Amino acid sequence: MPVTNGKVIFNSVPEGYPEPGKTTVYDDSEQIDLESVPIPDGGFLVKTLYLSVDPYMRGRMREPTKKSYSPPFILGEPLTGHGVGVVLKSKSSEFKEGAHVYGVFKHQNYIVYPNRAGLIVLDNKQKLPWSYYVGAAGMPGKTAYMAWKEYSSSKKGETVFVSGGAGAVGSFVIQLAKIDGCKVIASAGSDEKVEFMKSIGADVAFNYKTSNTLDVLNEHGPIDIYWDNVGGPTLEAALEAANTNARFIECGMISGYNTAGGAPIKNIIHVVSKSISMFGFIVSRLEHKYDEQFYKEVPELIAAGKLKVLEDVFEGLASVGDAILAVQKGTNKGKAVVRVADQ
Ligand code: NDP
């Protein structure tokens, strides 16, 4: 019996914020027969369980002529992004029926992979919820863990400022900085997020929409390490409040993702006068060095309750567009995940 193979199509390039139903469209017109669908030798059929919705997806919603580190979404084709699924049928010795896999998925209920396509099999010894493997135990967790290890050179007693501190990456960074014995200042865009950041160990947490960031940093700084998730005026304030020899870990600049021209910085001269080291990075370029260590340590830390995880689960493939907008606007409360199916 054929079943619906729903998908989320990239429908138009947005000018400002992405619009659910216009930028992306849910399409349930395709059917798939799970018994007879052709699977090539070495290939396998995957049922999508959880999809990750991440800020960088906004950058992929562009004209194909614009160059960037990640490929543009293709108009008329399904979105792609990190996901977890289960193998339903297989002609691969590595990806057996019943195995749970992680990697890049089409935003679609069922996918035939002709080969391993960069996927890995998850062993999940700790029996974590599968969704965690697109969050703290997946790409955003790797972002926090790998770049903190590579660039922070943190020393006990140093002061760390984390912007976007209530999100998937920022909340992990706060907890890493506390494990290293640092004092943590963290910002986010609502009072509820402020309470969450305090609950995971931030010493000073504030709402950047209702407090003056520079005043807070001047009171509790100077900053030795700045983890930047947002860029723009927050980065300018961090440059003002930075200590000599500060390290700035440039993870993302979401304040400029939905405006033409991004969010320009006026006081970059402090990099010179304060001998600041700035480290920009893309997580996929650090994976070869840290992947093994990450999968050995992080699921254990989560299972032991030493790393707290907060998820915002959106229900069903049709909610992908809403989840994308929520992440850009900040209405998500924790790691944005779309539950496509439980098993
Ligand atoms: P989050 O879960 O933190 O969601 C994004 C958050 O950004 C929103 O919830 C919102 O929170 C905040 N935000 C939106 N607009 C603004 C604004 N104008 N000013 C300040 N904050 C804003 O996302 P992630 O944790 O997944 O990602 C965090 C950052 O890490 C992003 O910049 C992302 O691009 C980057 N990243 C970089 C990677 C790399 O390899 N370099 C890999 C993965 C992520 P609030 O309510 O606080 O405003």
Side-chain angles (χ1 to χ4, degrees), residues 236 264-269:
E236 288 185 335
I265 302 299
K266 294 190 288 291
N267 56 350
I268 196 77
I269 185 63

Side-chain angles (χ1 to χ4, degrees), residues 17 53-56 69 139-140 143 164-171 187-190 193 208-209 227-231 234 250-258 281-284 326-336:
Y17 284 99
V53 169
D54 298 287
Y56 82 96
Y69 69 95
M139 187 279 284
T143 303
V169 174
S171 60
S187 65
S190 75
K193 291 184 181 186
Y208 70 88
K209 291 178 181 166
W227 183 287
D228 189 9
N229 282 323
V230 307
T234 311
E250 293 304 322
C251 175
M253 299 195 174
I254 196 167
S255 69
Y257 292 178
N258 296 284
F281 73 98
I282 295 297
V283 61
S284 54
V327 165
Q328 297 300 325
K329 289 243 168 183
T331 51
N332 64 313
K333 294 169 186 158
K335 168 65 196 139

Side-chain angles (χ1 to χ4, degrees), residues 177-223:
K178 288 312 297 176
I179 290 169
D180 286 1
C182 299
K183 169 180 160 183
V184 176
I185 308 170
S187 65
S190 75
D191 293 347
E192 192 181 344
K193 291 184 181 186
V194 167
E195 287 313 309
F196 170 61
M197 295 188 294
K198 285 185 188 158
S199 76
I200 56 171
D203 300 283
V204 178
F206 67 98
N207 179 345
Y208 70 88
K209 291 178 181 166
T210 54
S211 299
N212 181 294
T213 301
L214 185 55
D215 287 349
V216 177
L217 299 182
N218 280 337
E219 186 182 345
H220 299 282
I223 300 161

Side-chain angles (χ1 to χ4, degrees), residues 44 47 95 100 126 166 176 181 236 239 272 286-287 298 321:
F44 47 99
K47 179 181 183 183
F95 296 87
H100 284 77
Q126 297 78 11
L176 289 170
E236 288 185 335
L239 285 162
V272 178
L286 295 172
E287 280 178 321
V298 171

